[in-house]
Amino acid sequence: MAGTLTILAASPQQEAREAVRPVLEAVGTRTVWLDEVGQPSSLKLAYNAWVLTTVEGITESLTLAGTLGVDPRLVIEVIDDSGLNSPYVQSKGPKMIDDDLDTPSFPLEAAAKDASLITDTARAAGLHLGIAEVVRERLRLAADDGLGRADVAATYRMSRQATS
């Protein structure tokens, strides 16, 4: 029917979202709305699993390159020209190479705590996340080595140490 106005009542949750949307858009590039209780924490753990895996992937690639006599900067350059590139790789890789890791964007001690939460949560769900288990141990060792207040990428310092 032409000219009919339909009014739908907004839920309190929708009203709250609309009220805070301008603030969130001013401070962030994107907002993900989750409705289920526990989903935000679960998403944070899943995302941080990716972050920690990425940091350790960069660490191992740069360490291997240096050990094989290849300039680690070339690894970052090759990644830059690939489908696996990301701004995160392009920011962390050079900081690792330059050993500019004492001002953390993600403190290693916080990353170690999250790695424990990730693996404990996975185990409770009956999962074995092999990479997460290894990353958890590497972060624990780095924290024990006094790197807890440095950036999570400081595991690169440990990777370059000779093993016996």
Side-chain angles (χ1 to χ4, degrees), residues 118-143:
I118 290 163
T119 55
D120 292 347
T121 301
R123 288 176 192 159
L127 299 175
H128 174 73
L129 302 179
I131 295 171
E133 296 283 347
V134 171
V135 170
R136 175 185 180 164
E137 180 61 15
R138 288 183 50 76
L139 291 169
R140 185 192 64 76
L141 290 171

Side-chain angles (χ1 to χ4, degrees), residues 32-48:
V32 177
W33 297 102
L34 301 170
D35 293 327
E36 300 290 322
V37 173
Q39 278 187 333
S41 295
S42 297
L43 179 58
K44 178 184 180 275
L45 290 180
Y47 175 76
N48 281 347

Side-chain angles (χ1 to χ4, degrees), residues 142-153:
D144 289 351
D145 201 39
L147 298 175
R149 294 192 186 270
D151 190 81
V152 63

Side-chain angles (χ1 to χ4, degrees), residues 5-164:
L5 176 62
T6 304
I7 299 174
L8 300 173
S11 72
Q13 185 178 28
Q14 290 169 324
E15 289 175 7
R17 283 182 182 178
E18 290 308 313
V20 299
R21 184 179 308 275
V23 173
L24 295 175
E25 288 175 353
V27 297
T29 57
R30 191 169 129 212
T31 301
V32 177
W33 297 102
L34 301 170
D35 293 327
E36 300 290 322
V37 173
Q39 278 187 333
S41 295
S42 297
L43 179 58
K44 178 184 180 275
L45 290 180
Y47 175 76
N48 281 347
W50 175 85
V51 169
L52 298 177
T53 299
T54 301
V55 168
E56 287 306 308
I58 300 167
T59 292
E60 289 193 8
S61 294
L62 297 179
T63 301
L64 180 62
T67 301
L68 298 176
V70 174
D71 182 351
R73 292 185 192 286
L74 291 174
V75 173
I76 301 303
E77 184 178 321
V78 169
I79 292 171
D80 189 32
D81 292 332
S82 77
L84 296 175
N85 190 32
S86 74
Y88 194 79
V89 170
Q90 294 305 316
S91 71
K92 288 295 178 190
K95 286 182 179 282
M96 290 175 178
I97 294 166
D98 295 340
D99 198 27
D100 181 15
L101 303 167
D102 291 322
T103 304
S105 61
F106 186 9
L108 192 139
E109 61 192 0
K113 178 187 69 89
D114 281 1
S116 292
L117 289 170
I118 290 163
T119 55
D120 292 347
T121 301
R123 288 176 192 159
L127 299 175
H128 174 73
L129 302 179
I131 295 171
E133 296 283 347
V134 171
V135 170
R136 175 185 180 164
E137 180 61 15
R138 288 183 50 76
L139 291 169
R140 185 192 64 76
L141 290 171
D144 289 351
D145 201 39
L147 298 175
R149 294 192 186 270
D151 190 81
V152 63
T155 57
Y156 181 60
R157 291 175 178 165
M158 291 184 53
S159 293
R160 293 178 299 161
Q161 296 173 359
T163 59
S164 47

